[in-house]
Amino acid sequence: GVMSPYFVCIIAKMASGLEVDEDEALVAVSAMVGGLLLSRVVTDPKRSDAILRAVKNSLTARKEPPASTPDGVCGVGARR
């Protein structure tokens, strides 16, 4: 699909930035996207917050994120 090159790039950047292999980066991105999606589907705000918090806690327990991130990743959101 049209987003495939961006997705591959984001996974590679995540792996590099977190100093993990691509499988771990794929798990992290999938958890973030899935958590965001599920948090928006539920109607209970407390449940929504709990989903986001659980994903964040699970991912940050694995490895600390980098101190800073670039303005744009893989050409998406970059200033021109």
Side-chain angles (χ1 to χ4, degrees):
V2 95
M3 291 300 296
S4 185
Y6 293 107
F7 181 74
V8 170
C9 182
I10 288 169
I11 297 301
K13 295 273 187 181
M14 179 75 77
S16 174
L18 295 178
E19 299 174 349
V20 298
D21 63 30
E22 287 197 9
D23 282 352
E24 287 186 62
L26 185 58
V27 169
V29 171
S30 297
M32 288 186 277
V33 170
L36 182 62
L37 175 84
L38 293 172
S39 76
R40 299 302 181 249
V41 169
V42 298
T43 57
D44 179 4
K46 288 183 181 180
R47 176 71 62 171
S48 176
D49 290 345
I51 292 167
L52 295 174
R53 190 171 36 258
V55 171
K56 177 184 175 186
N57 291 343
S58 176
L59 293 176
T60 57
R62 294 169 184 243
K63 181 137 179 125
E64 287 297 317
S68 64
T69 56
D71 287 336
V73 176
C74 305
V76 178
R79 294 182 186 151
R80 297 181 193 249

